[in-house]
Amino acid sequence: MYGSTLNGIIMKNKVKSWVFILLMTTAVVVGAISCKPKVSDADLKAKIETVTADHPNVVVSVKDGAVTLSGTVASEEDRSRLAEVAKNADPNNVKSVANELTVEAAPIITNTDDADLTAKVADATKDYPSVKAEVSSGIITVTGSIEQTRVQPLKMALDALNPKKVDMSGLTVK
Amino acid sequence: MGLLDKYKTLLDTAKASGIPDLQYAEQEGVLQIRGTAPNADTKNKLWDVYNQIDPNFLSGDVVMNIDVSSAVEGSQVRVATQESNLNIRKGPGTDQPIVGKAAKGEVIILISRANDQWWLVRTKDGEEGYCYAQYLEPVE
C-alpha cells in the first residue's frame, strides 16, 4: 500500500518529464521553422530576376533575404528604379537591397555615312540657296550667308540628321 | 569650362520638360542631345535656350535632335515654312516630282512618318504625298 503510493508518485513524475520533453521539443522545432525565411534565397533571386529581365547586365544575388544588385544600367533613373522594383518584387521577404549598380550610358549614335549624310544635307539646305554645306567624316561644315531669322531653322534641320558636328563658324549671318 | 557646365541651363530645362527618353553625352568635343518632347512648344523652348547660350550656334559644340511625340500618325500638323508654300512630293526626296503644295499655316493630316526627314501627308483637298518634316509642326 505504502509502496504503491510511492510508485504512483514516480509514475506521475515520469509523465511530467515526458510532457516537459515533448513541449520543449515542439518549442525548439516551431522556433526553428519560424526563424527560417518563408521563401528560400534561390526562389527570391528567381523572383527578382523576372522583374529585372529587361536589363541583361544586371546581376541579382541574395543571401538570407538581403538582396544585392550589381552590374550596369543605361541611366541614373534605371539605377534607382531597379532597386525599388527589386524591393517590391516580394516586400515581405526582401530584407534589404544593396544598390551596387553603375550607370554606363550607351553612346549616342551619329551618322558617319558621308554619302547618306550628303544626300540628306542636300534636302535640308535646298531652301537656303545662299548657303553651302559640305560633309566630311560625319561633320557638316556650313558656309555662305543667311538671314538672322533662318539660322535656327537651318541648324534644327541639320541637327535632325544626327551629324557628329555642325560647324557654322564660317557662315555669315546678315 | 566643360560642355556640361556651359549648357547646364539647357540640360536642366530639358530634364524639367518631361522628356522621358532624354539622352545626352559629350562625344568628341560635341555635346550630343537626343530625346522626344511631349509637344512642339517644349522643343522650341529648348532651341531658344540653346540659342541664348550660343548665339547663332556658331560654336558648333552641340548637336540637338529633339523629336515631338505628339506627331503621331493620323494627327494634324501645321505647315511651318518661313513664308513660301510647302512642296508635296511623290516620294521622299527633293529629287522627287512635286505633286501638290500646302500653304504656310495650313493644317494637314500626317498619314505616316516614312523616315525622320520625310512624312507622308494628305491635305484637305485630298492631295497626298511627302513633305519635309522640318516644316511640319504638330497641332496641340
Side-chain angles (χ1 to χ4, degrees):
Chain A
M1 183 155 169
Y2 198 79
S4 70
T5 314
L6 193 67
N7 266 347
I9 290 167
I10 291 166
M11 274 299 284
K12 263 186 191 164
N13 277 346
K14 261 193 179 164
V15 169
K16 263 189 187 165
S17 57
W18 273 112
V19 168
F20 180 73
I21 287 166
L22 198 68
L23 277 175
M24 281 305 286
T25 314
T26 314
V28 166
V29 169
V30 167
I33 288 169
S34 65
C35 276
K36 243 181 151 183
K38 284 171 215 135
V39 176
S40 74
D41 284 348
D43 287 347
L44 204 53
K45 177 173 149 67
K47 209 168 187 176
I48 294 166
E49 278 173 347
T50 59
V51 294
T52 61
D54 292 343
H55 301 269
N57 298 324
V58 172
V59 180
V60 179
S61 57
V62 182
K63 193 170 190 317
D64 301 329
V67 177
T68 302
L69 298 177
S70 54
T72 58
V73 286
S75 69
E76 193 55 47
E77 288 74 29
D78 282 347
R79 185 180 178 274
S80 48
R81 196 179 54 82
L82 279 176
E84 218 29 48
V85 160
K87 173 73 191 160
N88 292 333
D90 192 345
N92 294 328
N93 294 306
V94 173
K95 282 189 191 144
S96 62
V97 178
N99 194 346
E100 291 174 8
L101 293 168
T102 52
V103 177
E104 200 172 84
I108 293 171
I109 307 295
T110 56
N111 188 352
T112 50
D113 179 345
D114 280 354
D116 179 64
L117 200 54
T118 302
K120 287 176 174 168
V121 166
D123 280 357
T125 55
K126 184 191 81 74
D127 294 335
Y128 302 87
S130 60
V131 164
K132 196 164 173 270
E134 277 175 357
V135 174
S136 173
S137 314
I139 297 172
I140 305 173
T141 305
V142 186
T143 51
S145 64
I146 192 171
E147 302 87 54
Q148 170 73 52
T149 51
R150 303 193 73 192
V151 178
Q152 184 165 318
L154 175 64
K155 169 75 167 153
M156 287 169 90
L158 295 175
D159 277 15
L161 308 176
N162 295 325
K164 209 188 261 181
K165 180 186 170 101
V166 177
D167 183 355
M168 308 211 307
S169 58
L171 183 66
T172 309
V173 178
K174 290 188 277 193
Chain B
M1 186 166 66
L3 291 179
L4 294 178
D5 284 330
K6 179 179 175 185
Y7 292 100
K8 186 176 186 302
T9 320
L10 176 60
L11 295 172
D12 286 348
T13 310
K15 284 178 208 167
S17 295
I19 300 174
D21 57 350
L22 179 68
Q23 241 192 317
Y24 60 88
E26 188 178 330
Q27 293 176 195
E28 298 180 57
V30 176
L31 179 61
Q32 297 280 347
I33 305 174
R34 302 286 183 279
T36 312
N39 51 54
D41 282 351
T42 306
K43 176 182 174 173
N44 291 334
K45 191 178 153 201
L46 290 174
W47 276 93
D48 288 345
V49 174
Y50 174 18
N51 201 6
Q52 274 163 25
I53 301 172
D54 183 24
N56 292 333
F57 317 103
L58 290 176
S59 306
D61 49 10
V62 170
V63 169
M64 179 162 73
N65 185 2
I66 300 290
D67 197 359
V68 176
S69 60
S70 56
V72 292
E73 294 174 4
S75 68
Q76 295 189 317
V77 288
R78 183 178 289 111
V79 176
T81 46
Q82 199 74 16
E83 47 210 31
S84 55
N85 291 333
L86 179 61
N87 290 330
I88 301 174
R89 294 177 182 272
K90 194 177 179 189
T94 50
D95 53 347
Q96 295 286 316
I98 296 167
V99 294
K101 299 229 183 232
K104 183 194 174 187
E106 191 178 330
V107 174
I108 58 180
I109 305 289
L110 168 60
I111 301 171
S112 71
R113 298 170 59 147
N115 56 47
D116 284 348
Q117 276 73 52
W118 292 93
W119 293 355
L120 180 60
V121 298
R122 187 191 306 121
T123 65
K124 288 212 172 74
D125 303 333
E127 285 175 336
E128 219 175 274
Y130 293 83
C131 286
Y132 200 62
Q134 201 64 40
Y135 296 119
L136 297 171
E137 204 175 68
V139 177
E140 309 303 337

